[in-house]
Amino acid sequence: MSAEIFFIRLYNVNYQKVYDFSYKLCGDRHRAKDITQQCFLRLWEKIDTISSDTEDIFPLLFVIAKRVVIDESRKATTSALAHKDIYHTSPGTVDETESRMHYKQLRHRLSNVLQSLPDKPRKVYQYRDSGYSHKEIADMLNISITTVRTHLRTATHLIRKNIGNTTVIIAAACTLWACGKDKDPATPTGPVTTAEINRWILDSMTYFYYWKDGLPATPDPSMEAAAWFGQLKNAADRFSIMYDPLVPATYPAGLRSIYGMEATVIGYAKAPGGALGVVQLVQPGSPAASKELKRGQLFTRINGTLLNTGNAASLLAKLVTDKKGDLTMATQSTDGAITETTILKVTAGGITQEPAVQQSVILDNTTPKTAYLCFNYFDDTQSAALLQTFSNYKQQGVKQLVLDLRYSPGGSTAIAAILTALIGNNINAESIFAKYTGNSRLGNRTMTFAQTMALPESGTPVAFDQVKPFQLQLSKIYILTGTHTASAAEMIVNNLKPYTNIIQIGSTTLGKDEGMITITDGRNPKRIPWVLMPITYKLQNAAGAGGYSTGIVPAYQVDELASLPLQPLGSTADPLTAKALELIGVAGGRISNSGLKATQNAATSPAMAYPVLISRP
């Protein structure tokens, strides 16, 4: 058994147990996912030392998880002390969102400087940054504590010299609360007022919002916060959102976030109402999956009302807002006739963990060796699964890849950079991944692959050296897209173009050529409950190409709904996959779909331009 297959088996058997144990240790779901990812990354590093006959690996993972938690705690305790002489300021004096953004930029610059330091000062500094004491460092490097202190002073001096006074980077940037002030104003006391919330929203938007020009000078003290935010949004802004984590009704919602499925309605003359609902995607473990819904199933009514081309959109919307409903299921006979069968009740559920690698298949009897990858959710905590997938491709000698992004709503740009680097040709750590155009205050930025990968939204950063062994270096890639392909998924399509030949098949993408940031009130105690996610940047690839707000149009337009029933994702009978295989010219070529022809798309649930995975009853 290969190390890769052995690792996948261990991962599948133990992931949930490690996650549950990690959650008990830290009490935080996001941190538990991060700890779990780190455990499996460390396990992968040791995989060659573990016998494939090992029956139970969880005791080792138990020890690794505890060590990860200990390491994190030590680092959190001592990291600030290790950098005190460099920062000259307390991050608490700066708005948390802005401080975090500048801190990440500083950390990247610091990483570059560290690479140029002499070996011993660099190692001492890095060990100290990781939370080790002077004595522990002395023991590890077999030097005296005095020498440790000397190397640390040397490293600090050289970092200051190369970076400069970091007060300019962090503290001199005016905060959202004290622009141009000599000191921070007193924290408001008493009940939080609408005026205070609206001031926070306006100040945040004035600093970060891409369309900041034209924003009012003062907030409306009487308008409810959500309405105020809506009024501030530019007419061209389709995607900025604001929600209160404690108020589920404020969450942006769709069929995917509520039920864990995607569905659409098509015009179909033989259906009772002239329209037919089609289930396109069902996530494993979701509320929809618990009702045994599957891709390709049909329905004719929502809450007893027959679907037609006029009411489809409103009925789908009601299914979202009510978070429950009845679907009248149906079957299709060989002559195309539709027969209604059972009524299926669907309800919102708890948390649906959407897999990034939805499906990975190395197709049999293909020359050149061809793989199919359905990649759905750009989640940084699932980077280990992505690397493992490409490790398998590398080992199996995959030369052609069909990448299915038709149901990918996007997510983190860090894992998007990893996926791009794994696919593209002649990409290294310093190759440009993306260019960002901000407002007049934030300006323009160019980010390399290494820089982007170092700034995940969650989880542990993946170094480029971890990606390099599994790069396929493809000169051509076949990408399947649809109307749900959005955000980071569209970045894959656009940002790969400078590095490989893109063959895009399917439907035009959603058209989110913009990046957003997350803004929260970081004060203690927190006063503003809202989470603000405004559009902050326009996105371009390394060649400066962007501007796809109306979507990216495929070279080969193929509608999966043009014939029914829908085929399983990854099936060579799926029309998009079959078209890719036809273009590749592999043995077997295009497999015709003998299904009946459907008519024009009538309505679809809103495509998610941002991942919202938490659904509540």
Side-chain angles (χ1 to χ4, degrees):
M1 182 186 303
S2 70
E4 289 78 8
I5 295 174
F6 182 43
F7 178 83
I8 291 174
R9 189 181 74 179
L10 295 178
Y11 182 89
N12 291 336
V13 170
N14 292 282
Y15 178 89
Q16 191 62 45
K17 291 189 289 186
V18 175
Y19 171 81
D20 292 342
F21 176 66
S22 301
Y23 181 66
K24 288 179 182 179
L25 287 176
C26 68
D28 181 272
R29 294 190 184 278
H30 293 291
R31 191 175 171 213
K33 289 169 66 178
D34 184 14
I35 293 168
T36 304
Q37 179 195 6
Q38 291 187 59
C39 285
F40 282 102
L41 285 173
R42 294 190 186 187
L43 179 65
W44 172 248
E45 293 171 354
K46 299 174 178 288
I47 198 67
D48 291 334
T49 67
I50 302 172
S51 171
S52 59
D53 296 328
T54 302
E55 294 291 333
D56 186 8
I57 200 68
F58 184 69
L60 174 60
L61 290 168
F62 173 87
V63 173
I64 294 175
K66 289 179 65 176
R67 184 62 194 175
V68 169
V69 173
I70 292 170
D71 288 349
E72 282 191 352
S73 299
R74 294 173 64 182
K75 183 171 182 177
T77 302
T78 62
S79 183
L81 294 175
H83 296 96
K84 182 178 179 181
D85 289 336
I86 299 175
Y87 294 155
H88 298 296
T89 185
S90 166
T93 64
V94 183
D95 176 86
E96 184 187 30
T97 302
E98 183 178 352
S99 174
R100 182 166 61 246
M101 180 181 69
H102 291 294
Y103 177 76
K104 286 182 176 180
Q105 294 172 346
L106 173 62
R107 291 294 298 180
H108 175 71
R109 293 178 63 186
L110 178 61
S111 176
N112 289 339
V113 173
L114 285 173
Q115 297 306 312
S116 66
L117 294 183
D119 184 60
K120 282 294 177 62
R122 183 183 71 253
K123 287 182 178 179
V124 168
Y125 187 91
Q126 289 172 329
Y127 280 135
R128 185 66 176 136
D129 184 29
S130 296
Y132 291 99
S133 67
H134 289 89
K135 185 178 185 307
E136 288 173 321
I137 297 171
D139 292 341
M140 286 187 291
L141 298 179
N142 196 27
I143 57 179
S144 68
I145 294 177
T146 301
T147 304
V148 169
R149 293 192 177 113
T150 300
H151 285 316
L152 191 57
R153 282 195 298 270
T154 300
T156 301
H157 171 74
L158 292 173
I159 291 169
R160 276 192 194 173
K161 181 179 178 180
N162 284 276
I163 292 183
N165 188 349
T166 60
T167 305
V168 175
I169 299 173
I170 297 180
C174 67
T175 74
L176 301 182
W177 293 98
C179 234
K181 306 281 187 177
D182 292 330
K183 60 181 180 179
D184 291 339
T187 301
T189 58
V192 178
T193 64
T194 300
E196 181 185 344
I197 294 174
N198 289 354
R199 163 56 63 187
W200 179 84
I201 294 171
L202 178 59
D203 285 348
S204 300
M205 297 283 278
T206 300
Y207 192 92
F208 292 105
Y209 195 42
Y210 179 76
W211 296 278
K212 78 176 186 66
D213 295 336
L215 290 173
T218 57
D220 185 331
S222 61
M223 187 176 289
E224 187 269 333
W228 170 243
F229 172 70
Q231 181 174 298
L232 293 179
K233 290 172 60 175
N234 187 279
D237 183 0
R238 295 188 289 159
F239 302 115
S240 292
I241 60 172
M242 186 179 77
Y243 64 94
D244 185 340
L246 299 180
V247 183
T250 65
Y251 278 60
L255 289 177
R256 188 144 168 182
S257 61
I258 300 296
Y259 303 106
M261 72 174 184
E262 298 281 15
T264 192
V265 176
I266 59 174
Y268 197 81
K270 293 187 177 183
L276 193 60
V278 183
V279 177
Q280 297 169 286
L281 177 73
V282 176
Q283 290 297 346
S286 66
S290 72
K291 299 296 183 178
E292 298 186 350
L293 279 169
K294 295 180 176 62
R295 171 176 166 82
Q297 287 184 299
L298 308 174
F299 56 95
T300 55
R301 302 172 190 257
I302 296 177
N303 295 326
T305 302
L306 272 175
L307 290 166
N308 60 53
T309 56
N311 67 12
S314 60
L315 289 175
L316 284 171
K318 185 171 176 56
L319 202 60
V320 171
T321 56
D322 289 353
K323 297 181 173 58
K324 63 180 181 180
D326 295 340
L327 299 179
T328 301
M329 308 307 294
T331 59
Q332 179 189 49
S333 63
T334 55
D335 64 356
I338 300 298
T339 302
E340 295 182 331
T341 56
T342 59
I343 296 176
L344 185 66
K345 293 184 178 295
V346 291
T347 57
I351 296 175
T352 298
Q353 174 63 55
E354 183 164 359
V357 179
Q358 181 87 13
Q359 188 174 1
S360 174
V361 179
I362 296 179
L363 301 175
D364 294 333
N365 303 318
T366 55
T367 304
K369 182 73 73 174
T370 303
Y372 166 90
L373 171 63
C374 182
F375 194 83
N376 267 5
Y377 176 37
F378 289 76
D379 177 5
D380 292 314
T381 64
Q382 299 189 48
S383 58
L386 177 59
L387 291 176
Q388 181 54 48
T389 298
F390 275 79
S391 172
N392 187 39
Y393 292 165
K394 192 81 169 181
Q395 184 184 41
Q396 297 297 320
V398 167
K399 300 299 182 184
Q400 299 280 7
L401 178 64
V402 179
L403 176 62
D404 195 341
L405 299 176
R406 75 184 95 170
Y407 297 113
S408 180
S412 171
T413 57
I415 197 167
I418 294 172
L419 180 55
T420 303
L422 287 166
I423 294 170
N425 200 17
N426 295 323
I427 294 176
N428 58 49
E430 298 308 312
S431 298
I432 295 173
F433 172 65
K435 295 182 178 181
Y436 298 79
T437 301
N439 60 35
S440 57
R441 186 189 297 271
L442 297 180
N444 302 333
R445 301 167 59 203
T446 295
M447 296 287 286
T448 67
F449 280 85
Q451 288 172 321
T452 307
M453 289 161 55
L455 303 175
E457 292 180 1
S458 59
T460 302
V462 174
F464 195 88
D465 285 346
Q466 293 174 273
V467 174
K468 190 174 180 179
F470 311 126
Q471 289 181 288
L472 294 185
Q473 301 278 0
L474 299 178
S475 59
K476 185 182 296 183
I477 172 75
Y478 298 82
I479 301 182
L480 313 183
T481 64
T483 57
H484 294 274
T485 307
S487 194
E490 289 177 291
M491 287 187 79
I492 294 292
V493 179
N494 190 53
N495 290 21
L496 266 170
K497 289 179 178 178
Y499 299 105
T500 191
N501 184 20
I502 302 294
I503 310 298
Q504 186 182 345
I505 302 166
S507 302
T508 302
T509 65
L510 182 64
K512 185 172 183 286
D513 59 343
E514 302 153 345
M516 55 177 59
I517 64 168
T518 302
I519 303 172
T520 60
D521 179 4
R523 295 169 298 178
N524 188 15
K526 176 184 290 189
R527 291 184 59 81
I528 309 297
W530 294 91
V531 175
L532 185 62
M533 297 179 67
I535 294 297
T536 310
Y537 293 102
K538 284 285 188 176
L539 307 172
Q540 301 90 34
N541 62 23
Y548 47 89
S549 59
T550 58
I552 305 174
V553 181
Y556 297 90
Q557 298 197 34
V558 180
D559 182 5
E560 71 172 0
L561 294 165
S563 59
L564 299 176
L566 290 184
Q567 300 299 307
L569 295 174
S571 167
T572 56
D574 168 66
L576 276 71
T577 305
K579 183 62 178 177
L581 296 180
E582 176 190 9
L583 294 170
I584 293 172
V586 299
R590 182 176 175 83
I591 299 176
S592 62
N593 185 347
S594 59
L596 298 163
K597 296 297 181 184
T599 54
Q600 185 177 358
N601 187 8
T604 185
S605 58
M608 297 292 290
Y610 34 80
V612 180
L613 300 181
I614 299 177
S615 56
R616 306 188 189 283

